Amino acid sequence: MTQSLEKTHLEKQLLTVKEVAAVTGFGVSTIWRKVQRGALPEPLRLAGSTRWRRADIEALFRDKAA
């Protein structure tokens, strides 16, 4: 893969807080409260950015639906 393709693939796998809010239907401040309470996974902190693994968020809601 070229560097730009790798970056695009990685960007699809990592979500910003706004993207997590859109996926979950929660507000941004609710996302942070749920992280503090342990109801959502801790985000990754990469070079000054905060991101969640898409797979972690999807798995959490998939498990709750089962």
Side-chain angles (χ1 to χ4, degrees):
M1 276 188 181
T2 67
Q3 187 174 4
S4 63
L5 287 176
E6 287 176 8
K7 183 177 179 184
T8 302
H9 178 71
L10 185 59
E11 286 174 346
K12 290 180 183 178
Q13 300 305 311
L14 299 175
L15 303 173
T16 66
V17 68
K18 288 181 181 181
E19 291 169 329
V20 172
V23 168
T24 62
F26 301 137
V28 170
S29 57
T30 301
I31 298 294
W32 289 115
R33 276 194 303 274
K34 288 184 173 286
V35 168
Q36 287 178 330
R37 294 179 185 154
L40 283 176
E42 286 285 329
L44 303 171
R45 301 223 181 347
L46 306 167
S49 296
T50 303
R51 300 287 188 271
W52 283 261
R53 289 183 186 96
R54 179 182 297 277
D56 291 347
I57 299 300
E58 289 174 351
L60 181 68
F61 286 92
R62 186 174 45 248
D63 292 345
K64 288 186 178 187

